Amino acid sequence: MELVVQFQVLNQSCQCLAWKPRPVIAWGAESQHVVAGYSDGTIRMFSISRTEMELKMHPHAVALTAITYSTDGEMILSGGKDGLVAISSPRTGMTIRVLTDHKGSPITVLQCTGKQYRDFGVEGSELWLATSLDRRVSVWASDWLKDKCELLDWLSFPAPAGPEGLSSLPPSLAAFCPWEPGTLVYVGFGMQKEALFYSLRKKQVVEKISLPYFATSLSLSPAAHFMAVGFGERLLRLLRCPGGGEARDHAGEAQDRAGHDDAVHLCRFAPSGRRLLTASHSAVLVWELPGG
């Protein structure tokens, strides 16, 4: 529990960051890279092992709000406050594609997953999704080396009319479900306080899980059927979700955990699934999972 490396960028705030996926064949320090998005529209890639910035790109004209690597680590996907999504190469520093489908609403989530594209009859090497604050989710199949990017599905979730602006509403969040290929989970401001499981094959919501409040953060365990949901009411809920062969009447047990001093704005499972990291305004908590 000590600070190992620190990078500082003057006069800019870091809005989002992502670790580069480790290559399958190596577990060396050379693969330890972090990419970060900043308030001036720039992206910086840092080498942890060399403790230096290796690359700076400027694909956005406004602040970044989401960033991730492709599953093979060969591309960087970034989203801005204006809703534009850029795909950039960390090898060349060039932006190879800009998608405007979410234009006008800040990107809240970008996530890539391994190849499931054959299930849907499209070409590509991975699936990825983009979520924007206006409750829209787009799902894409892509092969960046062949310059292919095809829209697979487009979701818009209804919500009651409210006097408040988008910025004051709970975020729109989506994630691919690790234990159910071809399914994504969505939470956001809507008609009901719930988590929705949407099947890309059936093109419909196949499961709904009621929540006590509108969610402010979401994470799905890569190792077990667990979902963590954070709320603005300083509450963390851990849900055991039913799998494909289990009854879907309602989710399994829900465990509520207090301890945060403010809205739980970040939930993140460790790759092993045994620990969960959550963050609020001035606290970062690490939880041991049942049976972990």
Side-chain angles (χ1 to χ4, degrees):
M1 299 294 291
E2 63 179 290
L3 178 65
V4 179
V5 180
Q6 183 174 357
F7 300 101
Q8 288 185 321
V9 176
L10 298 178
N11 303 320
Q12 297 298 329
S13 57
C14 180
Q15 309 281 356
C16 47
L17 56 85
W19 282 91
K20 182 178 180 180
R22 291 182 183 272
V24 177
I25 57 173
W27 190 262
E30 70 276 0
S31 67
Q32 295 181 355
H33 286 86
V34 169
V35 65
Y38 288 85
S39 53
D40 62 349
T42 58
I43 293 174
R44 290 169 171 83
M45 187 173 73
F46 301 97
S47 168
I48 303 300
S49 54
R50 285 193 282 223
T51 63
E52 65 182 19
M53 184 181 78
E54 292 189 344
L55 180 66
K56 178 183 176 183
M57 300 180 284
H58 202 156
H60 295 272
V62 297
L64 273 81
T65 51
I67 197 165
T68 190
Y69 275 95
S70 59
T71 51
D72 59 6
E74 292 299 313
M75 291 294 166
I76 295 170
L77 288 71
S78 56
K81 194 174 181 180
D82 56 3
L84 300 187
V85 176
I87 292 85
S88 307
S89 167
R91 291 184 182 272
T92 65
M94 300 291 291
T95 297
I96 64 169
R97 187 183 286 257
V98 176
L99 300 172
T100 61
D101 300 72
H102 289 270
K103 188 175 181 179
S105 183
I107 301 297
T108 52
V109 178
L110 290 169
Q111 186 192 8
C112 301
T113 188
K115 8 181 168 175
Q116 300 170 0
Y117 57 92
R118 291 192 182 91
D119 297 341
F120 307 102
V122 293
E123 293 187 13
S125 56
E126 67 181 1
L127 291 184
W128 63 276
L129 63 79
T131 308
S132 51
L133 197 56
D134 58 0
R135 302 175 300 280
R136 294 184 295 167
V137 182
S138 59
V139 183
W140 306 77
S142 62
D143 188 336
W144 302 120
L145 297 180
K146 296 181 179 178
D147 196 29
K148 290 184 178 180
C149 184
E150 181 178 345
L151 181 65
L152 186 66
D153 211 336
W154 182 267
L155 315 178
S156 295
F157 294 94
E164 304 157 317
L166 273 178
S167 59
S168 61
L169 294 176
S172 304
L173 305 171
F176 289 109
C177 184
W179 57 85
E180 291 222 14
T183 301
L184 60 86
V185 180
Y186 171 84
V187 295
F189 182 65
M191 309 304 288
Q192 304 291 334
K193 301 177 180 71
E194 57 191 2
L196 303 176
F197 285 70
Y198 178 88
S199 169
L200 294 168
R201 294 187 187 88
K202 297 179 180 178
K203 303 283 187 181
Q204 66 184 39
V205 174
V206 294
E207 182 183 356
K208 298 179 180 180
I209 297 178
S210 295
L211 301 174
Y213 312 102
F214 288 117
T216 51
S217 54
L218 171 74
S219 184
L220 279 69
S221 170
H225 295 191
F226 277 109
M227 178 169 68
V229 187
F231 304 101
E233 288 71 15
R234 299 182 292 181
L235 182 72
L236 171 71
R237 172 165 286 191
L238 188 64
L239 288 154
R240 186 187 293 275
C241 301
E246 300 177 49
R248 290 191 172 277
D249 294 335
H250 39 106
E253 67 268 23
Q255 303 172 30
D256 288 340
R257 296 286 184 265
H260 281 284
D261 57 353
D262 207 330
V264 185
H265 63 76
L266 177 74
C267 298
R268 196 73 81 239
F269 278 99
S272 66
R274 294 178 187 148
R275 287 187 174 89
L276 172 69
L277 182 144
T278 60
S280 58
H281 175 67
S282 60
V284 176
L285 303 182
V286 180
W287 310 81
E288 292 278 357
L289 264 68

